């Protein structure tokens, strides 16, 4: 007698769970559609030939006669592969060196006592609020008149080799490392550099990953400064090249679409493969 | 710890300090100087005293830009709200959830420029947005989305939200996954339903992430440029409807060749971000203290 | 541990390569040699330059008997390396540019030419390159957008008055040579010209119940025309304001005097100016124009609207018909070409493109030679044969190519081209602080067009602001 109400309530719970899941799936699909729709549209547009209308009512998504003409046209006119290589080179260099320099700088701020430590730290923190665009005018003058690297790739690397956010995050991470580890190393007579490299750095690897990812996303998307510096096609990074593409194909929406697809798809594939690492890296932001 | 003087800390600091000194500290000083000059980069600067600031105070477009930048701050609470919600939805073991998470991250991966270009094509007067709305019968005539002053800023803000959703969702997701299960179990025993569970546990548990996101998102909102540039070309929107402080700075410096005036604008921006950051840092410090 | 070592090695390598890369020597500054140039009398086989010269100069020997007929500029620096920037010519005209450069190098052996083409970002790139001190030696500037006087007033271009021989000057249409003068000095070689026409989408016209003959002959007749088109077909007019040079546009279209005779006060709030602005305000209010196109600074955006078949006409040169053909072959089939409406000034337009020389170029004579070469009769004739642009030199029109009957629609302007080009003139006075004043006018125009401000009020305020910039 007592089993039937229990079975019924169990059934009710299962149904409620399923409804809940359905509701969640609907929400997820809705958000996914909104998120992905522009890419889908651009993707299909890039395959439309000149006779396939892209502006029509009712709108036509799928091309009638798909063609890769647009891709060929863009490929011939713009060095898209160079945009990629430049972006990859710039971003990787910055990610590695920024992590390196910031970790170096954060170590004494977290683990050493010396004159002016607090002053340094607050000075650094204060520079965080300086908007990048503010520094662009004098940096432009510097680039042109002092360092002579206008229109050269290193002009978009040097300014980003140290970042206050990275230093701050690494300092937080270092603070979490127990002093005993360091003392043990010091007793053994190791230099601070060795302690830093061999003892402390491995411990804070998750935070390093976080810093790397934040820097990566920031630099990959960086447009303002590179657009001021890089004007020869072969030197452009991806974002600057994209704008050049939009200008070069201003009355050719299909060409623009092809160019956008060419620049976006490889990144999506890359990310899809490394998805786990990305999420794990961002998890580090919490612990840091 | 030794008490004798050691050069080691300074050596560690040296590379980063050098970069920051050259690319941040020196420019600040230079910009302060330039803001009192008339400078077009090609010929040497000419001292003009406070004239740039005086002109700025009387410049209606500058005030408009300030207003727009402050309005833009509205994206931050919106983003936080939507991202937290999304993170909560995505934080469960449904089948295929990883695919959804990856999909939401695609705008971040593609970059604001690529996405902005795609949006611009879609919002064209004869573009697909109008096409769909007309086909559905919601519109009789196409709307010139990017030529209506009232729509320019909201569209840009929407783009920013759209771009940031996946990124912040990931951060909040990581945060949620760090909240110990026991807290949720305890809540269930106490009789909390789903919504109360999130309100009393998830959201307070996300405090550090929320403050982190609030800081970087609001600073980014005050300094937005890419979205405006891509959506409005060099114009900034009809009647300067999309002009934000950074866009106005860019226009003064690199379109009209008034680097002195642009430097004055930069100084104003610096003061604003300083005030903002002081507020944020105080909250951040308090939060970190609470944690430890 | 192994991963760490790899990481360490990798970062060391990266660091090293970065440092090595950064230590690359900077390009050496080229030394400008001041060279006295005399006109040489060209005789027989050896072309000798009588110049006061440093040790390195070499006596040029031409391989062919007789001097190269196109080498009309003397004193070209030997071993010169100059750069050329063109505007929106690549990739369509790659072959033409390259073959012309090759011919130039035959005429002036020893000169190297580095060619770059820039499109939508041309202005930004050029400004940045001037600021960076590595602007190109020879620059293709747009007369129609007013770029020559822009850069000349900043002192960035080379004045040509005393360095270009008179017999070279006389090869051009006088009206075209005398364009965009700053303080009565010349700063450009007129290059390829366009006949401003309107490309017409005859399908939309028929739908609106109109014929080609109904197409307006004057600017003032445009609003009514657009009204009919909108009413009958629902399409908007595809009209562009040259937002970077509204002063010029109101001069041509409205017959407006923008600054007074002695340049002491601006006068673009006159009744003519107000009438001109009112024309556009009325069209915006009536909703007969596409706003995006109206205020875009990219000509191609307006072209795009027409190419997609959504506009009845577009004001441009026949040379852009090739874009229409490439992007919408269907439209090409029912395209028509009519002369552009004339404004109150009676002058249809100014020239199209020019070649200028950078002011502080290290190789002035070589640069002048290149600019002159591209704009000489033969080069321009060859250019005209591959696209419907028109030469700035009367001699080119003697070629049978121009007297042949037009075949394709792109050539329909050929018969009257010489006449039309000879009448192109620059009627805009020199405007001080041109970029700033035009920006002020643009803001005022937007207030009138989109914010219900009375045009007279907007223009009067703008004049006050502009006058404040004058000394």
């Amino acid at each position: 007698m007592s089993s039937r109400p229990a079975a019924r309530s169990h059934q009710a719970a299962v149904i409620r769970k399923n409804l809940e899941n359905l509701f969640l799936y609907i929400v997820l699909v809705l958000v996914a559609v909104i998120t992905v729709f522009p890419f889908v549209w651009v993707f299909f547009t890039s395959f439309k030939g000149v006779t396939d209308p892209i502006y029509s009512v009712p709108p036509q998504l799928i091309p009638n006669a798909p063609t890769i003409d647009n891709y060929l046209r863009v490929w011939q006119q713009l060095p898209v592969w160079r945009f990629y290589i430049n972006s990859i080179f710039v971003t990787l260099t910055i990610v590695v060196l920024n992590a390196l320099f910031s970790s170096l700088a954060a170590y004494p701020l977290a683990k050493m006592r010396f004159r002016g430590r607090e002053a340094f730290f607050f000075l650094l923190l204060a520079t965080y609020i300086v908007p990048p665009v503010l520094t662009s005018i004098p940096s432009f003058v510097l680039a042109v008149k002092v360092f002579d690297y206008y229109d050269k790739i290193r002009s978009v690397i040097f300014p980003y080799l140290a970042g206050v956010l990275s230093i701050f995050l690494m300092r937080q991470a270092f603070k979490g490392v127990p002093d005993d580890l360091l003392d043990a190393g010091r007793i053994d007579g190791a230099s601070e550099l060795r302690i830093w490299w061999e003892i402390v750095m491995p411990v804070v690897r998750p935070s390093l990953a976080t810093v790397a990812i934040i820097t990566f996303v920031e630099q990959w998307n960086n447009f303002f400064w590179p657009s001021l510096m890089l004007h020869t096609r072969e030197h452009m990074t991806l974002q600057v090249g994209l704008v050049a593409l939009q200008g070069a194909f201003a009355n050719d929406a299909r060409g623009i679409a092809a160019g956008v697809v060419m620049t976006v798809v490889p990144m999506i594939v890359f990310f899809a493969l490394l998805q786990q690492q990305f999420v794990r890296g961002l998890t580090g932001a919490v612990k840091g | 710890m030794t008490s004798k003087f050691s050069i080691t800390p300074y050596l560690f600091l040296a590379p980063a300090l050098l970069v920051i000194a050259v690319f941040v500290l020196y420019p600040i000083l230079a910009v302060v100087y330039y803001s009192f000059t008339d400078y077009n980069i090609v010929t040497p600067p000419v001292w003009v005293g406070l004239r740039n600031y005086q002109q700025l105070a009387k410049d209606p477009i500058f005030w408009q830009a300030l207003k727009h930048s402050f309005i833009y701050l509205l994206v931050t609470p919106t983003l936080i709200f939507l991202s937290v919600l999304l993170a909560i939805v995505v934080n469960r073991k449904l089948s295929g959830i990883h695919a959804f998470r990856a999909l939401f991250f695609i705008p971040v991966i593609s970059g604001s420029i690529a996405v902005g270009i795609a949006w611009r094509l879609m919002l064209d007067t004869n573009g697909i947005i109008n096409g769909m709305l007309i086909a559905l019968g919601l519109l009789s005539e196409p709307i010139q989305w990017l030529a209506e002053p009232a729509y320019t800023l909201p569209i840009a803000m929407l783009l920013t939200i759209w771009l940031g959703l996946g990124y912040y969702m990931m951060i909040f997701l990581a945060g949620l996954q760090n909240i110990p299960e026991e807290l949720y179990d305890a809540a269930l025993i106490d009789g909390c339903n789903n919504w109360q569970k999130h309100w009393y546990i998830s959201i307070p548990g996300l405090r550090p992430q929320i403050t982190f996101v609030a800081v970087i998102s609001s600073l980014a909102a005050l300094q937005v440029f890419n979205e405006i540039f891509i959506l409005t070309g060099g114009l900034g929107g009809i009647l300067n409807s999309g002009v934000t402080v950074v866009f106005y700075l860019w226009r003064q410096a690199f379109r009209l060749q008034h680097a002195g005036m642009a430097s004055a604008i930069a100084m104003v921006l610096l003061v604003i971000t300083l005030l903002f950051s002081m507020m944020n840092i105080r909250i951040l410090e308090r939060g970190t203290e609470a944690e430890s | 541990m192994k991963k760490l070592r790899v990481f360490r090695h990798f970062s060391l390598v990266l660091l090293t390569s970065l440092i090595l890369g950064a230590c690359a020597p900077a390009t050496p500054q080229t030394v400008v040699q001041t060279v006295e140039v005399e006109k040489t009398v060209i005789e027989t086989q050896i072309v000798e330059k009588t110049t006061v010269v440093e040790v390195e100069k070499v006596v040029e020997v031409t391989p062919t008997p007789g001097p190269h007929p196109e080498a009309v500029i003397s004193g070209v620096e030997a071993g010169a390396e100059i750069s050329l920037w063109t505007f929106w010519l690549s990739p369509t005209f790659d072959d033409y540019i390259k073959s012309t450069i090759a011919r130039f190098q035959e005429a002036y052996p020893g000169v190297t030419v580095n060619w770059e083409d820039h499109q939508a970002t041309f202005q930004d790139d050029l400004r940045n390159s001037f600021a960076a001190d590595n602007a190109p030696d020879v620059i293709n500037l747009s007369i129609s957008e007013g770029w020559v006087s822009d850069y000349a007033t900043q002192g960035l271009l080379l004045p040509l008055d005393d360095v270009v021989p008179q017999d070279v000057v006389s090869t051009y249409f006088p009206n075209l040579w005398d364009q965009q003068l700053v303080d009565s000095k010349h700063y450009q070689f007129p290059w390829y010209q366009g006949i401003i026409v309107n490309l017409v989408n005859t399908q939309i016209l028929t739908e609106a119940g109109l014929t080609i003959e109904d197409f307006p002959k004057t600017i003032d007749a445009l609003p009514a025309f657009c009204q009919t088109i909108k009413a009958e077909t629902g399409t908007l007019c595809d009209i562009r304001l040259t937002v970077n040079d509204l002063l010029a546009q109101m001069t041509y279209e409205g017959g407006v005097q923008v600054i007074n005779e002695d340049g002491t006060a601006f006068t673009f709030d006159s009744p003519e100016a107000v009438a001109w602005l009112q024309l556009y305000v009325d069209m915006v209010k009536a909703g007969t124009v596409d706003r995006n196109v109206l205020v875009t600074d990219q000509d191609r955006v307006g072209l795009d609207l027409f190419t997609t078949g959504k506009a009845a006409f577009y004001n441009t040169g026949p040379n852009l018909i090739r874009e229409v053909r490439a992007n919408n072959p269907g439209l090409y089939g029912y395209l028509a070409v009519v002369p552009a409406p004339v404004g109150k000034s009676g002058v249809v337009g100014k020239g199209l493109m020019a070649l200028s020389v950078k002011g502080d170029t290290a190789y002035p004579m070589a640069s002048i030679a290149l600019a002159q070469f591209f704009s000489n009769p033969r080069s321009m004739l060859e250019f005209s044969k591959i696209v419907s642009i028109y030469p700035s030199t009367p001699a080119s029109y003697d070629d049978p190519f121009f007297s042949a009957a037009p075949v394709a629609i792109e050539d329909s302007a050929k018969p009257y081209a010489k006449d039309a080009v000879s009448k192109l003139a620059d009627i805009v006075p020199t405007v001080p602080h041109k970029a700033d004043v035009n920006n002020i006018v643009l803001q005022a125009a937007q207030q009138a067009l989109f914010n219900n401000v009375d045009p007279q009020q907007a223009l009067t305020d703008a004049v006050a602001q502009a006058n404040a910039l004058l000394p």
Side-chain angles (χ1 to χ4, degrees), chain B residues 78-249:
Chain B
T78 319
L79 257 179
I80 294 180
F81 175 68
L82 290 174
S83 311
V84 168
L85 222 56
L86 202 59
I88 291 176
V89 169
V90 161
N91 184 29
R92 58 197 70 233
K93 294 189 181 56
L94 282 180
S95 67
I97 201 70
H98 285 289
F100 279 110
R101 290 181 193 165
L103 273 179
F104 298 151
F105 209 68
I106 286 184
V108 184
I109 282 296
S110 318
S112 52
I113 301 289
V115 175
I117 292 178
W119 273 48
R120 191 171 182 191
L121 286 177
M122 293 200 314
L123 286 170
D124 192 274
T125 313
N126 302 303
I128 192 155
I129 300 277
N130 274 335
M132 286 197 310
L133 291 174
I134 293 182
L136 288 173
L138 294 167
L139 273 186
S140 54
E141 248 185 35
I143 297 182
Q144 300 194 37
W145 294 102
L146 294 171
E148 282 291 334
Y151 295 162
T152 314
L153 210 58
I155 291 179
M157 289 165 73
L158 210 62
L159 179 59
T160 303
I161 294 175
W162 193 88
L163 283 168
L165 209 58
Y167 189 53
Y168 298 134
M169 177 199 81
M170 284 296 193
I171 295 182
F172 289 133
L173 182 65
L176 281 176
Q177 289 178 341
N178 267 313
I179 298 178
E181 274 295 314
E182 303 90 59
L183 288 176
Y184 289 118
D185 294 337
L188 274 174
I189 292 174
D190 278 350
C192 284
N193 66 14
N194 266 335
W195 302 116
Q196 289 170 319
K197 171 174 82 173
H198 290 305
W199 182 255
Y200 289 115
I201 300 183
S202 304
I203 294 182
L206 285 175
R207 266 269 305 278
Q209 286 77 22
I210 292 183
T211 36
F212 178 66
V213 168
V215 170
I216 57 178
S217 167
S218 57
L219 282 180
L222 276 178
Q223 300 174 29
V224 67
F225 178 78
N226 289 6
E227 287 87 323
I228 311 283
F229 182 75
I230 283 297
L231 286 174
T232 67
L235 187 67
I238 290 186
L239 290 177
N240 300 310
S241 49
V243 173
T244 54
V245 176
V246 173
F247 190 86
Y248 192 56
L249 198 159

Side-chain angles (χ1 to χ4, degrees), chain C residues 175-340:
Chain C
N175 272 352
L176 296 180
W177 176 254
D178 288 336
Q179 290 189 105
Q180 306 251 307
L181 301 178
V182 177
D183 292 334
S184 312
K185 294 221 190 70
H186 298 78
Y187 289 90
Q188 50 90 30
F189 287 91
W191 197 16
Y192 64 90
Q193 306 301 315
I195 312 278
I196 304 298
V197 295
N198 267 310
L199 308 183
V200 179
N201 181 330
T202 51
Q203 230 181 31
I204 295 186
L205 229 56
T206 324
E207 202 186 318
L210 299 165
T211 66
I212 276 292
E213 283 72 32
D214 296 322
F215 202 87
K217 309 268 185 312
T218 62
I219 299 280
D220 290 333
L222 271 178
F225 190 69
C226 291
Q227 187 69 48
T228 315
I229 292 186
K230 166 117 189 267
E232 302 297 324
T233 68
T235 56
L236 300 174
C237 269
D238 191 4
I239 297 179
R240 238 192 99 216
L241 290 172
T242 47
V243 289
N244 291 320
D245 204 350
L246 286 175
L247 292 176
Q249 190 167 5
M250 66 166 82
T251 310
Y252 281 95
E253 289 186 356
V256 176
Q257 174 87 17
V258 295
I259 190 171
N260 66 7
E261 285 296 324
D262 42 355
T264 51
F266 286 100
T267 53
F268 53 81
D269 55 348
S270 58
E272 293 84 13
V274 177
W276 172 81
L277 188 54
Q278 188 70 52
L279 186 135
Y280 288 99
V281 170
D282 292 338
M283 282 206 284
V284 170
K285 285 216 169 54
T288 50
V289 280
D290 184 303
R291 292 166 150 211
N292 265 324
V293 173
L294 194 65
V295 289
T296 181
D297 58 352
Q298 291 288 335
D299 181 68
R300 296 285 166 128
V301 172
L303 182 63
D304 186 32
L305 185 65
F306 179 77
T307 313
T308 54
K310 298 283 176 172
F313 62 89
Y314 189 57
N315 187 316
T316 182
N319 51 319
L320 288 183
I321 296 183
R322 70 174 191 271
E323 293 284 328
V324 177
R325 189 179 194 169
N327 289 317
N328 193 349
L331 174 57
Y332 181 72
Y334 41 89
L335 204 61
V337 169
V338 294

Side-chain angles (χ1 to χ4, degrees), chain A residues 101 105 120 123-124 127-128 130 134-135 138-139 142 147 149 158-164 167, chain B residues 13-31:
Chain A
F101 289 1
F120 268 124
L123 179 68
L124 283 176
T127 62
Y128 183 60
V130 177
L134 180 151
T135 61
S139 297
L142 273 181
F147 295 136
Y149 55 37
F158 282 171
Y160 302 104
L161 290 180
V164 179
I167 296 179
Chain B
L13 283 168
L17 272 187
L18 188 65
V19 172
I20 292 180
V22 171
F23 292 104
V24 183
L25 293 176
Y26 163 72
I28 298 178
L29 299 173
V31 164

Side-chain angles (χ1 to χ4, degrees), chain C residues 66-83:
Chain C
H68 195 290
E70 293 180 274
V72 297
I73 301 286
S74 44
V76 172
E77 302 87 352
E81 193 174 326
I82 54 180
S83 46

